[in-house]
Amino acid sequence: MSTAEKLDRVSRRQVDKFEERRRELAGAALQTLSELGYARTSLREIAQNSAFSHGVLHYYFRDKVELITYCVRQYKTACAQRYDTIVATAETPQTLADGFTDALIATLVDDATMHRLWYDLRSQALFEPSFREDVLEIDAMLERMIWRIVSRYAELVGREVAVPPAPLYAMVDGLFQQALLRQLAGQEQAGAELRANVLRLVGTLFPA
Amino acid sequence: MSTAEKLDRVSRRQVDKFEERRRELAGAALQTLSELGYARTSLREIAQNSAFSHGVLHYYFRDKVELITYCVRQYKTACAQRYDTIVATAETPQTLADGFTDALIATLVDDATMHRLWYDLRSQALFEPSFREDVLEIDAMLERMIWRIVSRYAELVGREVAVPPAPLYAMVDGLFQQALLRQLAGQEQAGAELRANVLRLVGTLFPA
DNA sequence: GGTGCATCTTGACGGTTGTCCAAGAAAAGC
DNA sequence: GCTTTTCTTGGACAACCGTCAAGATGCACC
């Protein structure tokens, strides 16, 4: 093994470890953000939710903006493959619709704090241009996810979807957002209403 | 005039002046919030956007939460009668639809900063229960506004609306929110797309 | 013209923030 | 085992925060 190869291997190992720690700290940051929201989250609070002291954050991230941006990207990849198995395994329109709405309500109930963080960060992007690119990217990804599900549904029922991906996602997202607000306000029926509303919306996508 | 009447008149004048100044300061606060967002707005910054010094805020408001809550309520009443004249004057479905979408796009372009504040505060309500009541109230008010327009439209075309008020508002709001994000990101066609998307949605509300 | 009250300014307070840095601990290389 | 590099700590820093209170200012009323 040459000296160059050795150095390369060493530096790669270091890069891996570096990246791993970044992921770890970003995880602690995401947890803190989802509990407190963007406005009340400080670097010291994030460090307290990790195994390290507050100084280490500036060893792995240039500043707070880079940390938050990294968090948003990490959140994105976590969301990405959520619904893919449902699309892959569904054989009938019924099982696809049921699987989709079940998963939707499960995230509404179980991941409510993470989703309110998402809406918080998307609002921040309305003010802070440095967040905008990542937020638009995540929105586009969620849009594709919805589109995969609906176009698979269209395939199963042998129809064509009459609404473009962007407004379709916007409407589903609007329904989800209202459901989340009601869910966090303690309204028990939020999940059931969300299911009914989404199913009705899907019903209007295929004109006769 | 009796002494009691005099005192009453004086105290009423004082109350009026007190309320007027509260409105004035809340206006400066709303301007600051719409520029900086909730997370970056401080009392000193608000005072700098007014004719007074920062100490006066605690003369008219108990603390920051009361000020922000007052702002949200003031914002609500400003939004309230926005679309009423359109509903009142429209004689045909066409003029109603045109008037509504025109007004919608006008607020998207002209009042973009105020609307991003609204989405910011609604996100805050997901974390801060003290904001929740007012936010839910404003949402309910906007929901009624949309419902007035759509049910008037239904009346003009002689049909029945097939979607309840809550999910209808949620979907329109979702479309508006995506349009706002694109508008603030500099995409020129955001307004035109919003119009098309809203008109398509309205078209699906009346099944054959 | 002085008195009392409402209003407003100013400066201070304790606390928190993001950022930086010197120093020590840990790990790696030889 | 020693040196060098990497990693981590904890404190210092200036700036900013919400809040408060003492005093200045203006203004109506007797």
Side-chain angles (χ1 to χ4, degrees), chain B residues 183-204:
Chain B
Q183 166 77 19
L184 286 169
Q187 298 186 17
E188 306 274 344
Q189 74 281 12
E193 286 177 3
L194 175 61
R195 160 178 270 130
N197 292 333
V198 167
L199 287 178
R200 178 182 20 242
L201 171 58
V202 170
T204 67

Side-chain angles (χ1 to χ4, degrees), chain B residues 19 40 42 60 70 78 82 89 100-101 113 152 179 201 203:
Chain B
E19 261 309 312
R40 278 168 286 275
S42 70
Y60 289 100
Y70 188 92
R82 175 82 49 105
T89 59
F100 173 52
T101 55
T113 61
R152 171 68 178 147
L201 171 58

Side-chain angles (χ1 to χ4, degrees), chain B residues 14 21 44 53-54 59-60:
Chain B
Q14 278 172 0
R21 185 116 308 165
R44 284 171 174 81
S53 73
H54 70 271
Y59 183 79
Y60 289 100

Side-chain angles (χ1 to χ4, degrees), chain B residues 1-207:
Chain B
M1 184 165 25
S2 75
T3 314
E5 280 174 321
K6 266 202 229 172
L7 281 175
D8 189 49
R9 181 171 295 193
V10 165
S11 77
R12 197 187 334 266
R13 193 170 55 214
Q14 278 172 0
V15 167
D16 287 353
K17 194 176 176 186
F18 193 78
E19 261 309 312
E20 190 185 348
R21 185 116 308 165
R22 275 167 75 97
R23 274 195 292 271
E24 186 181 349
L25 290 171
L30 276 172
Q31 186 199 330
T32 312
L33 283 164
S34 70
E35 282 168 8
L36 302 179
Y38 176 81
R40 278 168 286 275
T41 294
S42 70
L43 295 181
R44 284 171 174 81
E45 196 81 31
I46 292 172
Q48 274 199 326
N49 278 338
S50 78
F52 306 95
S53 73
H54 70 271
V56 85
L57 288 168
H58 279 85
Y59 183 79
Y60 289 100
F61 298 95
R62 183 160 25 88
D63 55 13
K64 196 184 180 183
V65 172
E66 194 192 271
L67 169 60
I68 303 270
T69 303
Y70 188 92
C71 283
V72 174
R73 294 220 174 93
Q74 178 158 321
Y75 174 80
K76 182 190 82 170
T77 60
C79 283
Q81 321 100 315
R82 175 82 49 105
Y83 294 82
D84 282 351
T85 58
I86 298 169
V87 177
T89 59
E91 301 286 346
T92 70
Q94 189 64 38
T95 56
L96 180 57
D98 287 348
F100 173 52
T101 55
D102 284 348
L104 207 59
I105 291 172
T107 67
L108 178 74
V109 175
D110 301 334
D111 306 333
T113 61
M114 267 300 168
H115 258 92
R116 72 179 173 184
L117 169 61
W118 159 241
Y119 289 123
D120 190 10
L121 291 175
R122 195 167 69 177
S123 296
Q124 293 310 312
L126 297 175
F127 295 91
E128 184 83 43
S130 52
F131 292 163
R132 230 164 253 173
E133 197 179 340
D134 286 295
V135 161
L136 283 170
E137 204 176 303
I138 295 183
D139 257 338
M141 188 201 68
L142 295 170
E143 180 184 313
R144 285 193 298 271
M145 184 199 74
I146 295 289
W147 187 248
R148 274 200 303 275
I149 293 170
V150 169
S151 51
R152 171 68 178 147
Y153 186 88
E155 196 181 337
L156 288 172
V157 298
R159 301 278 199 90
E160 298 268 321
V161 187
V163 179
L168 173 59
Y169 164 64
M171 291 188 290
V172 173
D173 185 66
L175 291 171
F176 189 87
Q177 208 171 339
Q178 285 292 324
L180 182 64
L181 187 55
R182 284 164 168 73
Q183 166 77 19
L184 286 169
Q187 298 186 17
E188 306 274 344
Q189 74 281 12
E193 286 177 3
L194 175 61
R195 160 178 270 130
N197 292 333
V198 167
L199 287 178
R200 178 182 20 242
L201 171 58
V202 170
T204 67
L205 297 178
F206 314 101

Side-chain angles (χ1 to χ4, degrees), chain A residues 21 44 52-54 59-60:
Chain A
R21 185 115 308 163
R44 284 171 174 81
F52 305 95
S53 73
H54 70 271
Y59 184 80
Y60 290 99

